[in-house]
Amino acid sequence: MENDSLFEIKTIEQIRTSLPRSKNKYGIPKSVSFVFQELYKDIVTSIITTEISADYILYGMQEAYQENKEFSDISYWVQGTSDSEISEWWIFGADGQGDLWLFDTQGKVFFYDHDKECMCEENFKCMDIDFSQWLQLAFLFRQYEKSDSYTNEDKAKLKNELSKINENLIDNLPFDYELCI
């Protein structure tokens, strides 16, 4: 498969225009006190929930709000977690297997594997990226999923692009991607 642009980090504008728009713009509910990055607010208030790639589902604002409302129930969290600690996290997506993508109040992206059972910071894997980088990561894997097989050269190109997003990203991936390891 000879294609120099097989894997290409998309710009945020390219990503923004490729996401399916909602017919209605859903603002952030007044009851939400979480302070969001502007990019996140701009995107999720105007899109529908979207499966970018198999493990990267981005919630539109309505669904993100519902997920956060559900997971704010103390029974999902490790014993002793306070409401104020729970409010420091925002779920913005999922992987379709019951795992969640979330970020903290600093805008750092984390991954929660539902097999860890209780939610708590110790069970959240820090990806060492922000929301814009998560979008770029998701779109790289969207490109990867468009084919059934790749050469070692293709895998090396993907690995190179992942490293451009963040040099530690490959080590931080929550899934066992045989393709890029």
Side-chain angles (χ1 to χ4, degrees), residues 103-115:
F103 44 71
D104 65 7
T105 55
Q106 305 306 305
K108 286 191 287 185
V109 171
F110 292 77
F111 178 79
Y112 169 69
D113 180 339
H114 74 284
D115 289 336

Side-chain angles (χ1 to χ4, degrees), residues 50-63:
T50 304
E51 182 176 323
I52 297 171
S53 62
D55 296 318
Y56 300 87
I57 300 167
L58 175 60
Y59 294 144
M61 182 48 72
Q62 273 189 317
E63 192 161 348

Side-chain angles (χ1 to χ4, degrees), residues 80-142:
T81 303
S82 69
D83 287 340
S84 65
E85 289 171 302
I86 293 170
S87 68
E88 293 177 12
W89 300 96
W90 184 261
I91 298 165
F92 69 88
D95 73 351
Q97 312 288 325
D99 303 326
L100 301 170
W101 292 103
L102 59 163
F103 44 71
D104 65 7
T105 55
Q106 305 306 305
K108 286 191 287 185
V109 171
F110 292 77
F111 178 79
Y112 169 69
D113 180 339
H114 74 284
D115 289 336
K116 301 277 187 187
E117 296 182 14
C118 288
M119 294 181 74
C120 63
E121 186 168 359
E122 291 77 32
N123 287 342
F124 300 157
K125 180 175 180 63
C126 182
M127 298 294 298
D128 202 23
I129 57 175
D130 63 18
F131 180 66
S132 65
Q133 292 167 311
W134 181 89
L135 288 169
Q136 291 173 322
L137 168 66
F139 274 82
L140 271 177
F141 278 104
R142 172 186 260 184

Side-chain angles (χ1 to χ4, degrees), residues 53-85:
S53 62
D55 296 318
Y56 300 87
I57 300 167
L58 175 60
Y59 294 144
M61 182 48 72
Q62 273 189 317
E63 192 161 348
Y65 175 72
Q66 290 304 319
E67 286 291 310
N68 282 278
K69 194 169 154 183
E70 177 183 343
F71 282 103
S72 67
D73 183 322
I74 197 78
S75 65
Y76 285 104
W77 292 78
V78 72
Q79 188 173 0
T81 303
S82 69
D83 287 340
S84 65
E85 289 171 302

Side-chain angles (χ1 to χ4, degrees), residues 1-7 147 149-151 153-154 157:
M1 187 187 273
E2 187 70 34
N3 184 351
D4 287 332
S5 64
L6 176 64
F7 300 114
S147 180
S149 63
Y150 289 106
T151 66
E153 184 182 336
D154 294 331
K157 286 180 188 176

